[in-house]
Amino acid sequence: MIFRNALILLSFFVISVSADALAKPKNNFLFFQAWPSGHEAWTSYTKFQPYLENMKHPHNTQWAGYGWYAEDWTSASRSKLDLVNGFYTADIIRDQEMDDDVPVLVVGPSFYRLSGLDKRRVVTTVDTVYGVTKSGSHRTIQLRDWNTKMPIGIYTERGLQLQ
């Protein structure tokens, strides 16, 4: 009988201590700090941000304030073509084709792993190397998926527009 009562009291105690579990720093029942100092500041800093972009702005104007030029990347590599070959090696770009006299850039699976800003940087760099939007009958690059063969966007002088 005493054993049963002690077991019931122990189970109530365990339930009452664990029922209020929250994912924020608090003191435990022995008045020791449960989390190290600064833990709350760290957890508020690392809130989930899946794309790290503000999707309320249109695509072309969202990154208008960034001071980046394709020459930042091309000057850092041995040659411009080595840089583009690196995009092929990383499977960011799969192929370059022509479809009814329109240049088509076939993107690989690694293209989708890039941030929106880096997608624009890659396509801008390819355009800078080949000069598609500066000359030619069609000043547009169509982007196409490697798997579905469907168009996913276009690139013009004004920037990249993804669907």
Side-chain angles (χ1 to χ4, degrees), residues 82-134:
D82 283 344
L83 180 62
V84 174
N85 286 335
F87 296 152
Y88 280 99
T89 303
D91 207 14
I92 295 170
I93 299 173
R94 280 271 173 109
D95 199 7
Q96 296 176 17
E97 305 171 348
M98 292 295 283
D99 186 14
D100 291 333
D101 202 32
V102 176
V104 176
L105 191 65
V106 180
V107 298
S110 296
F111 181 80
Y112 296 106
R113 294 186 184 108
L114 298 174
S115 69
L117 181 60
D118 284 336
K119 288 175 187 173
R120 281 144 182 82
R121 287 175 174 172
V122 166
V123 179
T124 302
T125 302
V126 170
D127 178 49
T128 301
V129 169
Y130 295 108
V132 176
T133 60
K134 300 287 183 214

Side-chain angles (χ1 to χ4, degrees), residues 14-49:
V14 169
I15 290 171
S16 67
V17 170
S18 65
D20 221 14
L22 297 174
K24 67 177 190 178
K26 63 179 184 177
N27 293 333
N28 60 13
F29 69 97
L30 295 175
F31 303 109
F32 294 113
Q33 188 166 357
W35 295 102
S37 64
H39 177 75
E40 178 136 354
W42 173 252
T43 55
S44 66
Y45 175 74
T46 59
K47 292 202 184 304
F48 180 67
Q49 296 176 348

Side-chain angles (χ1 to χ4, degrees), residues 34-91:
W35 295 102
S37 64
H39 177 75
E40 178 136 354
W42 173 252
T43 55
S44 66
Y45 175 74
T46 59
K47 292 202 184 304
F48 180 67
Q49 296 176 348
Y51 298 106
L52 301 175
E53 300 167 357
N54 182 358
M55 301 314 261
K56 295 179 183 177
H57 295 106
H59 288 283
N60 289 339
T61 61
Q62 185 173 358
W63 297 280
Y66 286 91
W68 180 86
Y69 300 97
E71 289 77 15
D72 294 342
W73 281 5
T74 57
S75 65
S77 66
R78 287 181 289 181
S79 73
K80 295 177 182 180
L81 293 178
D82 283 344
L83 180 62
V84 174
N85 286 335
F87 296 152
Y88 280 99
T89 303
D91 207 14

